[in-house]
Amino acid sequence: MKILTVAEMAIREMVRRRAVLALLLALPLAFYLVRRGDQVGQSIRFLLIGLAWAVSTAALFASGTSRPIEPRLRLSGYASHHLYLGRLAAMWLLGLVVAAPFFALVAIDHGDQVRLGAVALAMLFAVTVAAPFGLLIGAIVPRELEGTLLLLVVVGVQMMIDPADALTKVTPFWSSREIGTYAVDHTGDEYLVRGLVHGLIFTILATAVVALLSTLRLRVRMRAATSA
Amino acid sequence: MDNDRWLWTLGQEMARHQLAPDAVRHVVAEAAAHLRDSGQPALRAFGTPEGYAAAVAESLAARYGRPARPAPGRVRLSARGITKRYRRRTILRSVDLTVRAGEVAAVVGANGAGKSTFLRICAGLLAPDSGEVTLDGRLGYCPQDAGTYDFLLPDEQFVLIGAGRGLDRERSKQIGRAGAASLQWRPAAGVQTRHLSGGTRQKLNLVMASMGEPDVLLLDEPYQGFDRGTYLDFWQHVWRWRDEGRAVVVVTHLLSQLDQVDQVLDLTPASEGAAA
């Protein structure tokens, strides 16, 4: 119940920022269109990165907006896990809503050339990973400007790194890239499997670190009296 | 201002001064009779209703003293030997505060004396370098600022806090709206918090802190931006909470109400921070 209330309010807070919503949609769209004339694979891979970037940025800002209010909520009966799980659920839902029209776009634009189910899965994993990753950056770097720049560095590296480089596997959105390759290049199942495994592990790790940092930050530093 | 309006305002102001309803009725009836007999406008006869109410309250307090209150109850908040340093500067040095159920403590001090820091330590949000805080009961905390979401409606803020307190949505809204009304504020439908004035936002902040019947209320200058009437209403709330058996700690820099609190903790560095 408490997690749902936090999630509901986080969504309400976000959807009332209409300009933010427009930009959330504009970012993946721009990434998709800029390579659309090039080749199908690249445009969809860029779309996935744009989607992940948009969702992680939204999560980063949601984290920053809530940071000054969370202590009060903590003292008003919420445990720290209610707060970060509620916010995470909200960002996942928001991400799926943002992803849905892009899936429709790909289906209409290139539905006959790609594995549509795998495209949906790649989008799902882009959103799944991006939400806790944005919260993680927000938890590590409390100031929004620094957080945004850090996110920019990570996404920049993700976009420019040579796919053959071993370092690519530690980038956060490698999972959706692998699943995306499976979807657009019709590769073998190994791309799909390692994408899924990477995405799950990264999501669990990012969520665990967010949980740890939130619990530490929001711990109540006092002794409760033993009632007579 | 016509005489009826003046008399109504007088009644409100006297209630804010915690005068008994019988006394309020009596004074208003006497003033009304005088106005009727003299045919004078109220403002010319008595001055402003606020000023007249204050004079009456002072006169009655001088004649009868303050009404007896129940004795304070168990210790709800105990802060012992609180010391806090930022870098090399000691903000708080071995500060003690004990507040019992049914008591109001005011924390005063110059800017930078560590009032908000002390309150955050009392709330458990900040660890002292040494010393210990012990809390008995449920805590309500009103931060100085940044305690609300900009894009949520007041009702949604009530629901958010209420859910933490274990209240359902309707009950949360009901309690929140009642609290708002008691501070002379009726939240307009569809107006987000970011569009509220500073004073109204502080009312929201205060209502949120008092939801869920906390045993201990920690209020960090919660009246910033309040107009005079609301400021008096705020203190009336504080005294009502005290009479209900809550322990209340108010950080304040306004000294006018300090004679009506049970203890004053002065954090001004020159003093020893002794409780009055």
Side-chain angles (χ1 to χ4, degrees), chain A residues 20-214:
Chain A
V20 170
L21 279 184
L23 290 170
L24 275 179
L25 289 165
L27 182 60
L29 181 63
F31 275 42
Y32 179 74
L33 293 179
V34 83
R35 300 304 295 266
R36 184 171 173 271
D38 241 359
Q39 51 173 296
V40 175
Q42 280 301 77
S43 65
I44 292 177
R45 271 190 281 267
F46 268 62
L47 169 64
L48 292 170
I49 285 191
L51 179 63
W53 193 1
V55 174
S56 50
T57 305
L60 167 66
F61 275 86
S63 172
T65 306
S66 300
R67 199 178 182 90
I69 299 158
E70 282 181 340
R72 144 172 264 173
L73 296 178
R74 181 75 181 82
L75 295 177
S76 301
Y78 288 94
S80 51
H81 73 271
H82 295 135
L83 301 175
Y84 64 77
L85 288 180
R87 197 142 292 115
L88 184 57
M91 292 305 116
W92 275 335
L93 182 60
L94 183 75
L96 291 179
V97 170
V98 170
F102 290 109
F103 177 71
L105 177 64
V106 172
I108 293 165
D109 216 10
H110 301 298
D112 53 341
Q113 300 168 56
V114 298
R115 290 164 163 161
L116 269 182
V119 169
L121 199 59
M123 287 184 173
L124 177 68
F125 266 71
V127 169
T128 303
V129 173
F133 182 63
L135 294 181
L136 174 62
I137 298 224
I140 294 172
V141 189
R143 292 186 187 86
E144 284 181 353
L145 178 59
E146 284 91 326
T148 308
L149 291 173
L150 180 58
L151 196 53
L152 186 60
V153 169
V154 171
V155 176
V157 168
Q158 177 97 50
M159 289 174 72
M160 289 182 287
I161 196 168
D162 179 356
D165 194 319
L167 197 63
T168 190
K169 291 180 185 171
V170 297
T171 54
F173 307 127
W174 187 68
S175 54
S176 52
R177 182 187 173 85
E178 289 298 281
I179 302 170
T181 301
Y182 170 80
V184 298
D185 294 340
H186 299 273
T187 59
D189 289 351
E190 67 276 12
Y191 280 80
L192 177 66
V193 171
R194 64 184 180 230
L196 293 175
V197 170
H198 183 275
L200 285 174
I201 290 174
F202 198 93
T203 301
I204 291 167
L205 280 178
T207 307
V209 178
V210 168
L212 179 68
L213 295 176
S214 297

Side-chain angles (χ1 to χ4, degrees), chain B residues 1-15 24-37 40-43 45-50 52-53:
Chain B
M1 182 185 287
D2 64 25
N3 285 359
D4 288 343
R5 178 77 187 164
W6 189 95
L7 289 166
W8 180 83
T9 309
L10 175 67
Q12 296 289 308
E13 288 293 319
M14 290 175 67
V24 172
R25 271 195 296 275
H26 179 71
V27 172
V28 171
E30 271 196 352
H34 176 83
L35 293 175
R36 200 170 46 246
D37 295 345
Q40 277 186 309
L43 272 174
F46 297 108
T48 63
E50 292 84 1
Y52 190 64

Side-chain angles (χ1 to χ4, degrees), chain A residues 1-2 5-6 8-10 12-14 16-18 62 65-78 87 217 219-228, chain B residues 74 121-127 132-136 139 141-143 146-153 156 159-161 163-166 169 192 194 205-206 208-209:
Chain A
M1 176 64 192
K2 290 179 182 177
T5 306
V6 172
E8 177 198 336
M9 297 308 165
R12 286 180 186 275
E13 249 269 322
M14 191 60 77
R16 288 194 182 128
R17 299 169 191 256
R18 300 214 177 106
T65 306
S66 300
R67 199 178 182 90
I69 299 158
E70 282 181 340
R72 144 172 264 173
L73 296 178
R74 181 75 181 82
L75 295 177
S76 301
Y78 288 94
R87 197 142 292 115
R217 182 169 59 85
R219 70 190 185 282
V220 175
R221 302 146 173 102
M222 70 160 71
R223 209 159 60 84
T226 45
S227 292
Chain B
R74 63 211 262 189
I121 289 172
C122 287
L125 296 175
L126 199 61
E132 188 178 63
V133 175
T134 308
L135 175 79
D136 178 9
L139 185 67
Y141 174 63
C142 181
T148 53
Y149 282 105
D150 280 352
F151 284 76
L152 291 188
L153 307 175
E156 291 164 350
V159 168
L160 181 60
I161 295 292
R165 297 293 196 195
R169 301 175 81 88
Q192 295 170 17
R194 67 195 167 113
N205 207 355
L206 188 61
M208 288 163 71

Side-chain angles (χ1 to χ4, degrees), chain B residues 15-101:
Chain B
R16 283 176 182 145
H17 282 282
Q18 290 194 293
L19 296 179
D22 282 350
V24 172
R25 271 195 296 275
H26 179 71
V27 172
V28 171
E30 271 196 352
H34 176 83
L35 293 175
R36 200 170 46 246
D37 295 345
S38 67
Q40 277 186 309
L43 272 174
R44 189 183 303 159
F46 297 108
T48 63
E50 292 84 1
Y52 190 64
V56 170
E58 198 174 318
S59 158
L60 290 177
R63 195 181 310 166
Y64 302 112
R66 300 201 177 283
R69 288 192 293 112
R74 63 211 262 189
V75 172
R76 286 294 190 185
L77 178 75
S78 168
R80 288 268 154 265
I82 301 299
T83 296
K84 183 71 183 174
R85 296 179 201 88
Y86 282 121
R87 296 195 177 95
R88 289 183 180 174
R89 188 173 163 228
T90 301
I91 304 290
L92 300 167
R93 189 187 302 276
S94 200
V95 177
D96 296 328
L97 178 70
T98 300
V99 191
R100 293 176 171 274

